[in-house]
Amino acid sequence: QQQVKQSPQSLIVQKGGIPIINCAYENTAFDYFPWYQQFPGKGPALLIAIRPDVSEKKEGRFTISFNKSAKQFSLHIMDSQPGDSATYFCAASMLSGAQKLVFGQGTRLTINP
Amino acid sequence: SAVISQKPSRDICQRGTSLTIQCQVDSQVTMMFWYRQQPGQSLTLIATANQGSEATYESGFVIDKFPISRPNLTFSTLTVSNMSPEDSSIYLCSVLPGSSGNTIYFGEGSWLTVV
């Protein structure tokens, strides 16, 4: 019930391509879905987040698509750049509760020049 | 936002010893958490550090192994006790400021290697 499943584990895309990372959750009580970006040797940093009352949220080149009925959400990176190469984690939490983040397994993204 | 400082940033520890990791935040925060990230893996919540009371531990983590303190709203410590090579991980402090919406911020992590 607490799991968040993320795929793919790794992804290689050419510069300018649109990598897509997918996540699925089971617990319908989750109501906050952030994406974190982590560079080697650094802590995770919030990239973008969405609540289940909207189906899409865009911030710059990053877009979250959310499908409440399917309990799935995904991250799209438009016009990807080599500097986007990092590990991406989806997560979920319950805002009304202890607000503990449950993380997906992570996706190691490589953008080739 | 919140600026989080963790010490040490990296250490090599002997098997059987204990190490205390410090987490200092630049402002008072509502909630503080400790996560573990094993090499190449995802983040797993160890516990929620409660100000002035005992931490709330997640399944699989116990106070005797990971004692936590939070004496005030800006500081917390995590001790990794009686370390074994399986404890080699990145330990991350994270905070929910409460004043900036729902964003949870992470420190840079403390990289522990147990030999």
Side-chain angles (χ1 to χ4, degrees):
Chain A
Q1 279 291 319
Q2 293 296 316
Q3 270 193 320
V4 176
K5 295 182 179 180
Q6 183 173 345
S7 63
Q9 277 191 313
S10 63
L11 184 59
I12 301 174
V13 172
Q14 290 299 118
K15 176 183 174 182
I18 305 174
I20 301 173
I21 305 171
N22 300 298
C23 285
Y25 63 99
E26 290 293 327
N27 190 343
T28 56
F30 287 144
D31 58 2
Y32 178 66
F33 303 90
W35 284 89
Y36 282 82
Q37 180 187 56
Q38 186 178 32
F39 292 104
K42 300 292 187 181
L46 179 69
L47 198 58
I48 186 172
I50 197 167
R51 299 286 307 273
D53 51 347
V54 297
S55 60
E56 185 176 281
K57 183 174 181 180
K58 184 178 295 187
E59 287 186 5
R61 297 185 293 108
F62 301 93
T63 299
I64 300 180
S65 297
F66 188 86
N67 186 329
K68 187 174 181 178
S69 60
K71 292 184 286 185
Q72 295 176 347
F73 58 110
S74 60
L75 176 70
H76 302 229
I77 305 175
M78 310 302 288
D79 187 28
S80 58
Q81 302 295 315
D84 296 328
S85 297
T87 300
Y88 292 80
F89 292 97
C90 63
S93 71
M94 291 178 274
L95 291 178
S96 60
Q99 304 195 35
K100 301 179 291 187
L101 289 170
V102 178
F103 282 87
Q105 294 86 341
T107 297
R108 180 171 292 185
L109 174 65
T110 302
I111 307 297
N112 286 330
Chain B
S1 66
V3 177
I4 303 169
S5 300
Q6 277 189 241
K7 291 181 181 179
S9 58
R10 189 180 293 266
D11 208 341
I12 299 174
C13 308
Q14 295 295 317
R15 184 192 305 248
T17 63
S18 299
L19 182 80
T20 295
I21 302 167
Q22 297 181 358
C23 176
Q24 178 73 55
V25 192
D26 68 340
S27 59
Q28 294 185 345
V29 297
T30 303
M31 303 186 78
M32 296 182 78
F33 309 92
W34 287 97
Y35 284 82
R36 182 173 73 182
Q37 185 176 25
Q38 293 177 308
Q41 302 296 313
S42 186
L43 290 83
T44 301
L45 181 64
I46 298 172
T48 302
N50 300 309
Q51 192 257 331
S53 65
E54 196 170 285
T56 304
Y57 289 84
E58 297 300 305
S59 176
F61 297 96
V62 295
I63 187 171
D64 289 347
K65 177 67 175 177
F66 298 101
I68 288 171
S69 78
R70 188 181 174 190
N72 56 52
L73 293 177
T74 64
F75 185 78
S76 178
T77 66
L78 167 74
T79 298
V80 186
S81 303
N82 188 25
M83 285 185 283
S84 67
E86 293 72 35
D87 295 319
S88 297
S89 286
I90 306 167
Y91 292 86
L92 293 148
C93 173
S94 70
V95 304
L96 175 67
S99 60
S100 61
N102 309 314
T103 302
I104 291 179
Y105 297 89
F106 284 83
E108 298 283 82
S110 297
W111 294 58
L112 301 189
T113 301
V114 184
V115 297

